[in-house]
Amino acid sequence: MAGGRLPSKEKKLVAVRGDLLTRVIEISNREGKTVYGMTNEIFDQAIRVHDLGLTLPEVVDAYALLKMERETGAVITSSDILSYLIGKLYPKEKQALRELWRSSGQWYGKYLLAKFHDQDPVEMLRRRLVTCAWDVTDVNLVRNVDQVKLRIVAPYLPVENTELFSEHLEGIMQSLGYTLEKNDTMRGIILLEFSKKVEGKT
């Protein structure tokens, strides 16, 4: 019954890099698992990720970024509630809110530099926006030598939220060593251009 045969569960030999196998052995010993069990678990989870239409690097990066959001005090709330609160405060506290969001961006930029000191912080910012900015439908970041152009589209974002989000991004880029050259922000659309600060120039 060739057409109805179930996939074989017999053991197979698979070539694995020596350094990776050493790490698997270390982890399996630490977790009290057999190398066979650990290896099958790794393959099983990799297949689950593939079936979701994702790659392992995408899943790992997304988890790292979401974990970072939690560590930095981010909370999950309804965008409708956030927009309602901002809409109530914005007419009377516009400048204070803008300064608060810029300040939070400056802090976050410094956090990126400290957390991902061995990686490109601008790329980590792009990944964060793609992964964690729920209302954003399009993120485009273009780099050219010492210039960065950032385009964000969030069609359902109110104008107040858009302006505050723009301030937050400016604060982040400032901490990453960039100065704002152009800001073209309107409801649901943020277009920012930055240039790298040159030491000794003001």
Side-chain angles (χ1 to χ4, degrees), residues 59-97:
V59 172
V60 173
D61 286 347
Y63 174 78
L65 288 165
L66 289 172
K67 183 173 182 287
M68 183 177 69
E69 291 294 294
R70 184 178 62 189
E71 292 173 349
T72 56
V75 295
I76 297 177
T77 187
S78 166
S79 59
D80 290 340
I81 294 175
L82 181 61
S83 295
Y84 174 80
L85 294 173
I86 290 175
K88 286 290 186 180
L89 283 172
Y90 207 72
K92 296 181 179 180
E93 302 289 339
K94 178 178 180 178
Q95 191 57 38
L97 285 172

Side-chain angles (χ1 to χ4, degrees), residues 49-189:
V49 169
H50 179 270
D51 289 344
L52 290 171
L54 302 170
T55 66
L56 283 174
E58 287 175 334
V59 172
V60 173
D61 286 347
Y63 174 78
L65 288 165
L66 289 172
K67 183 173 182 287
M68 183 177 69
E69 291 294 294
R70 184 178 62 189
E71 292 173 349
T72 56
V75 295
I76 297 177
T77 187
S78 166
S79 59
D80 290 340
I81 294 175
L82 181 61
S83 295
Y84 174 80
L85 294 173
I86 290 175
K88 286 290 186 180
L89 283 172
Y90 207 72
K92 296 181 179 180
E93 302 289 339
K94 178 178 180 178
Q95 191 57 38
L97 285 172
R98 291 174 72 99
E99 291 175 1
L100 182 63
W101 280 63
R102 176 180 285 270
S103 177
S104 72
Q106 292 169 340
W107 183 90
Y108 198 92
K110 292 177 181 178
Y111 181 84
L112 280 177
L113 289 172
K115 183 76 172 182
F116 300 101
H117 56 87
D118 58 342
Q119 300 182 53
D120 179 3
V122 175
E123 172 58 19
M124 294 309 299
L125 171 60
R126 186 195 67 80
R127 295 182 189 179
R128 179 215 179 192
L129 292 171
V130 170
T131 303
C132 304
W134 305 116
D135 291 325
V136 172
T137 59
D138 181 54
V139 175
N140 183 265
L141 190 150
V142 178
R143 305 177 72 172
N144 182 17
V145 190
D146 291 332
Q147 293 184 321
V148 171
K149 294 183 179 181
L150 179 60
R151 184 188 75 231
I152 293 179
V153 179
Y156 304 107
L157 208 61
V159 63
E160 298 89 351
N161 300 47
T162 306
E163 292 178 358
L164 293 177
F165 193 16
S166 175
E167 289 283 347
H168 179 73
L169 293 170
E170 287 183 38
I172 293 176
M173 294 299 289
Q174 181 181 352
S175 289
L176 298 185
Y178 288 83
T179 56
L180 180 69
E181 297 293 341
K182 181 179 179 181
N183 182 336
D184 189 4
T185 298
M186 62 194 75
R187 187 185 66 80
I189 300 175

Side-chain angles (χ1 to χ4, degrees), residues 41-55:
E41 183 178 329
I42 292 170
F43 275 106
D44 185 47
Q45 296 305 314
I47 291 170
R48 285 186 62 194
V49 169
H50 179 270
D51 289 344
L52 290 171
L54 302 170
T55 66

